[in-house]
């Protein structure tokens, strides 16, 4: 009887040691959802480390367990049945360096915690910005509430500076949603530039007159126009836009920056629709990391 008892105790100790070994071998292969969400995107899947559970039937490392001695307790079975599977986290299909670039140092954003900032660097005179505008407006209407679009006029020279002045005048009047697309149509459809160039220089007087007449045609009074067009507030916004363009290296338009970390454009993404999908994916990636 004593001999039978000792054998039983020995068998139980052996089973306990195998269970710990299996756990020690399998555990390093698992990764938490947080680690996967913050890992850099890659276009290839990393091969999984060898796992004994993946061995073809018939192969063995020399250690065997009698099938009659492996059982699952009712409590363990119940816990397993009621534990939800870990969510599958798909890697971005986009390639770093090809579809988007990443800043060596992330830039500060101008949005509250828990939100993702998307900057569009644009110029009213840019035909590609004009083509993107209706699709960007549609995207803005369906984007998640935690994504905040910020338009930034890019300043290269005198012409782009005066176009940026018009934008900040419209922004100061609270009319960006109403008039942004109208400015593009005025320039690219009706053929009426709102920054007047004469003798290779911007005619500031004629440009201000054209901007005032355009806004008055859309319901803005001359008094309200004057309160915004050449003011300290507008001049300060122009300086900020120039600084932002320098920090983000906004050297062409349209150009997109996501959360101060990633930069892309239509060409890199592969098209306008692809650009908007890329913005969604990068924004979701950043939101999931917060």
């Amino acid at each position: 009887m004593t001999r039978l008892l000792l054998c039983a105790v020995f068998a139980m100790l052996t089973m306990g040691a195998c269970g710990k070994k299996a756990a020690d071998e399998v555990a390093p292969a698992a990764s938490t959802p947080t680690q996967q969400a913050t890992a850099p995107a890659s276009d290839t899947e990393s091969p999984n480390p060898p796992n004994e559970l993946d061995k073809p039937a018939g192969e063995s490392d020399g250690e065997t367990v009698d099938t009659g001695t492996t059982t699952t307790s009712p409590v363990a079975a119940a816990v397993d049945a009621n534990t939800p599977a870990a969510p599958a986290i798909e890697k971005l299909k986009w390639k770093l360096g090809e579809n988007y670039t990443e800043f060596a140092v992330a830039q500060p954003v101008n949005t509250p915690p828990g939100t993702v900032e998307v900057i569009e660097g644009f110029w009213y005179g840019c035909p590609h910005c004009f083509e993107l505008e209706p699709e960007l407006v549609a995207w803005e209407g369906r984007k998640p509430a935690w994504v905040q679009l910020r338009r930034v006029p890019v300043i290269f020279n005198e012409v782009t500076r005066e176009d940026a002045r018009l934008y900040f005048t419209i922004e100061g009047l609270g009319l960006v949603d109403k008039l942004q697309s109208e400015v593009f149509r005025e320039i690219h459809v009706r053929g009426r530039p709102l920054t007047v160039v004469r003798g290779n220089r911007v005619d500031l007087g004629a440009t201000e007159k054209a901007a005032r007449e355009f806004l008055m045609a859309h319901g803005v009074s001359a008094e309200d126009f004057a309160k915004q067009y050449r003011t300290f507030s507008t001049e300060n916004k122009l300086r900020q836009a120039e600084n932002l363009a320098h920090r983000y290296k906004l050297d062409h338009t349209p150009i997109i920056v996501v959360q101060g970390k990633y930069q892309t454009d239509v060409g890199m993404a592969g098209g306008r629709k692809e650009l908007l999908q890329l913005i969604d994916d990068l924004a979701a990636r950043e939101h999931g990391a917060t």
Side-chain angles (χ1 to χ4, degrees), residues 7-22:
C7 290
V9 170
F10 179 77
M12 291 175 64
L13 290 173
T14 304
M15 289 175 62
C18 291
K20 183 178 185 303
K21 179 181 178 182

Side-chain angles (χ1 to χ4, degrees), residues 52 54 86 220 283:
E52 290 183 355
D54 297 331
V220 176

